[in-house]
Amino acid sequence: GAALRYQSAGERPYVVPEGGSNGLGALGYVDAMAEVRAQLDALGAPPFDVVVHACGSGGTAAGIALGASTHRVAKALHVMAVCDDAPTFTRRIEDLIAAAKEYAPTWGHRLEGPVPWRVDDRFKGPAYAETFDAQRQTMLEAAQRAGLVLDPVYSGKAFHGLASLAKSGELTGRVLFIHTGGLPGLLAQAPTFSKVLQDS
């Protein structure tokens, strides 16, 4: 593709993988956890019990697992799959953690082993980028009650999972939810969400 054309012209292109998910990309979320640590320190607040976020390619999970441990941000990580299944993501995240550890010394990072983490694939819905009724309702409630706007593909599914687990008592303690963006996805599903608004 384009990278080969640039290479043949004597350039040195860098191909960014899907989701930025490689060892180098994961270090971005290690740095994000350092920022969270600084905020906790400024507030005099204790670490979180668990971090929850959406997972579509694994890089965020690898970086947070390493960063939450290295910077003492949280005791555990709950990874909400938005596609594929838990075994697939578990292997992918393990590989990305190993790759991030290889990159770390070059970029000035001293990483500790990851916090305990698990992938939860119960709230991914029928398919990637496809919403479901309970998820849409959770997204609407989050917007109405807290002004929290979630996207339908990633954070909407993860937050629905978080809310469901909190209601059932499976998820307790101090929880940090990472909103990974994706809001333009709402525009693509506007007709679906218009119906949810009319029905509420």
Side-chain angles (χ1 to χ4, degrees):
L4 292 175
R5 287 196 304 274
Y6 281 108
Q7 281 177 335
S8 65
E11 301 288 336
R12 294 179 56 198
Y14 182 81
V15 178
V16 178
E18 179 184 6
S21 290
N22 60 12
L24 181 59
L27 293 181
Y29 269 100
V30 172
D31 288 342
M33 293 299 99
E35 291 183 26
V36 173
R37 175 74 263 166
Q39 292 173 19
L40 289 170
D41 291 344
L43 295 169
F48 293 95
D49 293 300
V50 63
V51 179
V52 177
H53 71 86
C55 179
S57 55
T60 300
I64 291 177
L66 290 166
S69 172
T70 300
H71 299 294
R72 306 289 188 268
V73 168
K75 301 169 189 170
L77 173 61
H78 200 99
V79 181
M80 296 291 190
V82 301
C83 57
D84 297 328
D85 57 21
T88 298
F89 273 125
T90 297
R91 288 189 300 272
R92 193 175 301 161
I93 294 165
E94 286 171 348
D95 290 345
L96 288 165
I97 286 172
K101 285 181 176 180
E102 287 181 22
Y103 269 104
T106 305
W107 291 87
H109 287 80
R110 289 184 158 193
L111 301 180
E112 296 187 10
V115 294
W117 56 276
R118 66 172 283 216
V119 178
D120 191 333
D121 60 9
R122 292 174 289 174
F123 304 98
K124 64 182 181 177
Y128 178 75
E130 289 188 26
T131 59
F132 49 100
D133 290 343
Q135 173 200 345
R136 290 188 292 270
Q137 189 59 44
T138 298
M139 291 173 64
L140 178 62
E141 290 175 11
Q144 290 174 329
R145 294 182 182 183
L148 179 61
V149 181
L150 301 161
D151 81 283
V153 180
Y154 298 99
S155 290
K157 289 185 179 185
F159 191 82
H160 172 67
L162 185 163
S164 299
L165 295 180
K167 285 177 186 173
S168 72
E170 187 176 335
L171 192 62
T172 60
R174 286 171 41 83
V175 178
L176 171 62
F177 178 71
I178 303 291
H179 189 320
T180 53
L183 296 180
L186 278 171
L187 300 175
Q189 297 191 23
T192 301
F193 282 89
S194 294
K195 184 177 186 315
V196 174
L197 287 168
Q198 290 168 2
D199 294 344
S200 66

